[in-house]
Amino acid sequence: MLPCIEIETAPNPSAAVIWLHGLGADGNDFVPIVSELNLEGCPAIRFIFPSAPNMPVTVNGGYVMPAWYDIIGRDLVAQEDASGIARSATAIKEIIINEASHGIAYENIVLAGFSQGCAMALQIGLRFPHQLAGIMALSGYLPLATTLSLEKHPSNQSTPIFMAHGLYDPVVIPARAEASCALLEKLGYQVSWNEYPMEHSVNHEELQDISRFLRSVLIKG
């Protein structure tokens, strides 16, 4: 199992948010955000922040850093590390399955990610064989897009997807994320597109929208 940081908003959680960090970060990266979210009305939630393994990253000169998969070029999609993505997907799915084995229903689990973590959240969530509560795709893109139509699972065809991106993002350019959103919509997914006047980051307005999204998918009835 990947090393994880866990935070529970109250005892005996019945929902979970698995939040995947970006390239070069670790599980600590989004921990401070939990206290900034408005989760009024939500059930008790376990936030889980896994850390990616260390590996050399080609685009950064082979420097070893936490990464879900190798980035071969700044284009991001011209040449993709399919085997690395598959390895991390297997490890992250173990966390989802572990939560279910501890009594949290799949339909109460949100898969979230930022940048490279966003790519992993989309890669896993759209192919996962049990319906999830939602997918949060922050400042990232859809990896291995050409295989999605063949590999997508009907269980998550109607799962709400929250996509958020900075208008001035120099790392994952807005056009890359917009193309991902367009493809998802073409394949019939329910995508909420949100953009903000920022670079490769998260701002207060986005946190408010994330709060609304979590409330919308985790408050039942």
Side-chain angles (χ1 to χ4, degrees):
M1 190 78 71
L2 293 166
C4 298
I5 297 170
E6 297 185 2
I7 297 175
E8 296 182 358
T9 60
N12 303 313
S14 59
V17 177
I18 300 169
W19 204 313
L20 309 172
H21 62 76
L23 179 67
D26 62 23
N28 292 284
D29 203 29
F30 283 92
V31 168
I33 279 179
V34 176
S35 63
E36 299 183 46
L37 296 174
N38 177 4
L39 302 172
E40 184 178 358
C42 286
I45 303 170
R46 179 182 295 118
F47 282 86
I48 302 161
F49 302 95
S51 289
N54 290 316
M55 62 182 295
V57 176
T58 301
V59 77
N60 290 335
Y63 188 80
V64 174
M65 62 180 64
W68 297 113
Y69 54 90
D70 191 16
I71 299 287
I72 298 164
R74 297 199 179 278
D75 171 83
L76 300 177
V77 296
Q79 188 178 356
E80 297 186 84
D81 178 18
S83 61
I85 291 171
R87 281 194 301 273
S88 284
T90 298
I92 294 162
K93 281 187 286 189
E94 287 181 3
I95 298 172
I96 303 174
I97 293 167
N98 184 62
E99 288 305 296
S101 73
H102 285 86
I104 294 184
Y106 287 116
E107 67 222 36
N108 293 331
I109 297 175
V110 174
L111 193 55
F114 176 84
S115 194
Q116 229 193 21
C118 163
M120 291 307 308
L122 290 170
Q123 172 72 15
I124 297 162
L126 303 178
R127 294 164 172 81
F128 198 68
H130 303 279
Q131 184 177 7
L132 301 172
I135 299 170
M136 292 199 309
L138 315 177
S139 299
Y141 66 100
L142 178 68
L144 305 178
T146 57
T147 67
L148 178 59
S149 62
L150 298 175
E151 297 174 355
K152 66 190 181 79
H153 198 283
S155 292
N156 284 292
Q157 182 66 55
S158 60
T159 298
I161 302 171
F162 175 89
M163 291 193 75
H165 214 85
L167 288 168
Y168 317 119
D169 191 332
V171 178
V172 180
I173 60 172
R176 177 74 59 234
E178 290 165 3
S180 296
C181 180
L183 177 58
L184 291 173
E185 290 177 333
K186 182 179 179 181
L187 293 174
Y189 290 100
Q190 302 176 28
V191 184
S192 169
W193 173 261
N194 304 266
E195 53 189 29
Y196 308 93
M198 62 182 187
E199 295 189 354
H200 197 61
S201 60
V202 176
N203 67 9
H204 179 68
E205 182 184 358
E206 182 179 354
L207 288 178
Q208 290 180 313
D209 290 339
I210 288 171
S211 297
R212 277 189 285 270
F213 178 75
L214 289 175
R215 293 198 303 270
S216 73
V217 298
L218 293 179
I219 298 175
K220 310 295 183 179

